[in-house]
Amino acid sequence: MAEHETLSRTTGATVLTLVVVACAAGLADALRRRVRLRRRARHHAGAESVPAPAHTHHGSPTIPRQRATGPSAETVRLTEAERDAFAVLVRRLSEGD
């Protein structure tokens, strides 16, 4: 029984250590990228001190920003026969339930 408890504790400590190391590595990588972005911004601006880009303040700099608007709406004009055929298709599919 004592051998089993020792093995469980050793395994648990090992797993916990690996998780901590992985989190620390991820944090270090994110910080490294943030510093690299700031340096690049300073270099391109040609100034000594440039504030960090806006996206580094509100989220991870490793995730690209999403578009604020969606794609443009698409419309297709149907003839009367196409509308009737579509209505028949919808009726058939709804009856299948």
Side-chain angles (χ1 to χ4, degrees), residues 40-83:
R40 190 177 302 150
R42 276 191 221 125
H43 176 72
H44 288 301
E48 294 249 347
S49 63
V50 173
H55 68 277
T56 60
H57 294 294
H58 300 292
S60 173
T62 59
I63 300 173
R65 300 185 86 185
Q66 294 183 354
R67 292 183 356 178
T69 60
S72 60
E74 296 181 20
T75 59
V76 176
R77 295 180 188 256
L78 300 177
T79 64
E80 190 66 35
E82 290 172 327
R83 269 189 243 125

Side-chain angles (χ1 to χ4, degrees), residues 1-2 6 8 16 18-19 33 41 48 51 56 61 87 97:
M1 187 78 157
T6 304
S8 294
L16 183 61
L18 290 174
V19 169
R33 288 180 187 203
E48 294 249 347
T56 60
D97 291 334

